[in-house]
Amino acid sequence: MTIRQTLEQEEHRRLDPRAAFSDRSLGRPVPEEPRETDVRTCYQRDTDRIVHSKSFRRLMHKTQVFLQPEGDHYRTRMTHTLEVARIARTITRSLNFNEDLAEAIAMGHDLGHTPFGHAGESALSDVLGKPFRHNEQSLRVVDLLEKEGEGLNLTHEVRLGILGHTGEYIPETFEGQIVRKSDQIAYVNHDIDDAMRAGILHYDDIPRAITRILGETHAQRINTLVCDVVVTSREAGKIMMSPEVEKAHRDLRTFMFDRVYKNPVAKGEESKAKTMLKMLFEYYMRHPEALPEDFLPQLSFDGMERTVCDYIAGMTDNYAVDKYTHIFIPAGWEIRG
């Protein structure tokens, strides 16, 4: 028996019968036979494929709420992803579900996010004339765009967990549902932390009706939410929060939309970012020859609009600024004599 097979058997001994077991995966888009020498389960392999991908590395240069903030300690998509993965693993372990699957979904869930956060998502929605949804783009990244068009060939459970981390589709696995809930817990709370660092919020600004239930500090709120998901889900037999905590969390999200996400300090540069991405989109639509060489073959089967959209969606914040500067801002020059 191989090490991988031993790990798969151990899952059956220690995990909840409703868990997504590695040896019962519904497989990959392109079937792969496990290597005899591989010590990893299929979900562990998926995590490694995601972490070693180019799109994952780019997450460190994509901002969260504050566009290109001045300071080293604001969240990026990378740090957000790691925080979601840690919360998801904690909940998954406590409920005896498959941590490896939850980690893989969490690591891949935001690969399709645009530069400049939701401002970029809004800009692409405008130019496409239809909603651009980052969860759908994340699935497109792992299925089609990574590895020069080959994709990462991830398992069915990871792929649909990535798709269902937000939006109407709810993942079929408990692990995918846990990542969905972990994402909600992570982003609201770390956005509070960043907003306080930026001076937009202070501890006393959060309504007492919310802090009384969730806690006063970042650590207290995370602990309350995670523990509540674990205890309530164990009793209910499905992934959920208690009604009281769910309402407090929903009220906190509403508060953040009113005070931070729509705040002119946080969003003051958003219109500039949207204009910049729209101008880049229009430029590449007129000049497809300016696309990187590895995107040119895509034009023949995806068409101009989809290819340009994929290119811009994959940009980091700084790369988008550099491209805009190179294309639209006159370069300095000097007369030599």
Side-chain angles (χ1 to χ4, degrees):
M1 182 181 297
T2 66
I3 294 175
R4 174 185 54 79
Q5 290 171 331
T6 300
L7 293 175
E8 291 170 347
Q9 285 196 358
E10 287 178 356
E11 287 183 357
H12 286 280
R13 285 195 293 268
R14 63 184 174 81
L15 297 184
D16 187 291
R18 298 167 298 170
F21 297 103
S22 301
D23 61 354
R24 294 182 183 174
S25 169
L26 295 181
R28 306 177 185 277
V30 179
E32 296 179 16
E33 287 297 323
R35 294 191 293 263
E36 288 298 318
T37 57
D38 202 341
V39 299
R40 301 165 297 172
T41 66
C42 60
Y43 301 138
Q44 289 174 320
R45 292 181 69 187
D46 282 357
T47 296
D48 290 340
R49 291 180 183 188
I50 291 168
V51 169
H52 289 284
S53 69
K54 292 178 181 178
S55 51
F56 184 81
R57 293 194 294 274
R58 289 197 297 269
L59 292 178
M60 73 176 72
H61 299 298
K62 293 190 177 189
T63 48
Q64 194 71 13
V65 173
F66 298 91
L67 305 186
Q68 293 191 305
E70 294 183 4
D72 294 334
H73 301 126
Y74 289 90
R75 264 72 172 193
T76 65
R77 290 289 165 195
M78 174 73 80
T79 56
H80 164 73
T81 293
L82 297 177
E83 291 182 26
V84 172
R86 290 309 308 158
I87 291 172
R89 290 199 67 147
T90 297
I91 295 173
T92 307
R93 180 181 299 178
S94 299
L95 293 174
N96 284 330
F97 291 121
N98 197 319
E99 284 184 68
D100 292 328
L101 172 56
E103 181 178 43
I105 296 170
M107 289 299 189
H109 83 281
D110 264 359
L111 295 180
H113 246 301
T114 60
F116 307 114
H118 292 286
E121 200 166 347
S122 177
L124 289 180
S125 295
D126 289 345
V127 296
L128 293 174
K130 58 184 178 181
F132 175 94
R133 298 183 176 93
H134 75 269
N135 57 319
E136 296 173 357
Q137 186 70 12
S138 294
L139 182 60
R140 182 172 172 81
V141 166
V142 300
D143 277 356
L144 299 171
L145 301 181
E146 271 292 337
K147 295 185 67 176
E148 287 71 49
E150 293 182 12
L152 301 180
N153 200 32
L154 304 181
T155 56
H156 171 84
E157 295 77 11
V158 173
R159 293 174 58 251
L160 293 192
I162 289 172
L163 177 65
H165 83 269
T166 189
E168 296 181 0
Y169 172 73
I170 306 297
E172 58 198 39
T173 64
F174 283 99
E175 293 84 356
Q177 295 169 31
I178 288 170
V179 172
R180 184 182 176 98
K181 193 68 71 175
S182 300
D183 185 39
Q184 296 166 1
I185 291 172
Y187 84 77
V188 171
N189 284 281
H190 65 48
D191 289 349
I192 292 174
D193 197 33
D194 281 354
M196 289 182 177
R197 181 170 291 109
I200 294 174
L201 280 184
H202 300 281
Y203 285 106
D204 294 338
D205 292 333
I206 303 175
R208 288 295 304 163
I210 296 174
T211 58
R212 179 179 57 81
I213 296 171
L214 300 184
E216 299 279 351
T217 68
H218 176 78
Q220 289 171 353
R221 287 190 297 271
I222 294 290
N223 186 67
T224 297
L225 290 162
V226 168
C227 291
D228 185 79
V229 170
V230 170
V231 172
T232 307
S233 300
R234 184 175 289 164
E235 294 174 352
K238 58 182 179 179
I239 307 304
M240 62 181 295
M241 295 179 184
S242 65
E244 181 184 42
V245 171
E246 177 76 48
K247 181 180 184 305
H249 187 246
R250 188 168 57 249
D251 291 344
L252 181 60
R253 185 173 180 271
T254 300
F255 167 79
M256 287 295 290
F257 265 95
D258 293 339
R259 291 293 301 273
V260 176
Y261 302 140
K262 297 179 182 179
N263 187 291
V265 176
K267 293 307 197 183
E269 301 299 295
E270 185 171 291
S271 62
K272 295 179 184 177
K274 290 175 65 174
T275 298
M276 181 173 63
L277 294 184
K278 288 179 181 180
M279 290 179 68
L280 284 173
F281 183 90
E282 293 166 0
Y283 174 82
Y284 286 111
M285 288 291 291
R286 295 194 306 269
H287 301 281
E289 72 281 358
L291 289 168
E293 286 189 11
D294 53 340
F295 278 85
L296 296 179
Q298 186 181 338
L299 292 170
S300 62
F301 55 86
D302 269 337
M304 186 84 69
E305 187 176 79
R306 184 71 251 183
T307 303
V308 172
C309 176
D310 287 339
Y311 177 46
I312 291 177
M315 291 179 175
T316 64
D317 296 15
N318 287 334
Y319 185 81
V321 171
D322 288 345
K323 282 296 178 184
Y324 179 86
T325 301
H326 175 73
I327 294 170
F328 296 107
I329 306 299
W333 59 280
E334 62 179 341
I335 299 175
R336 299 180 182 273

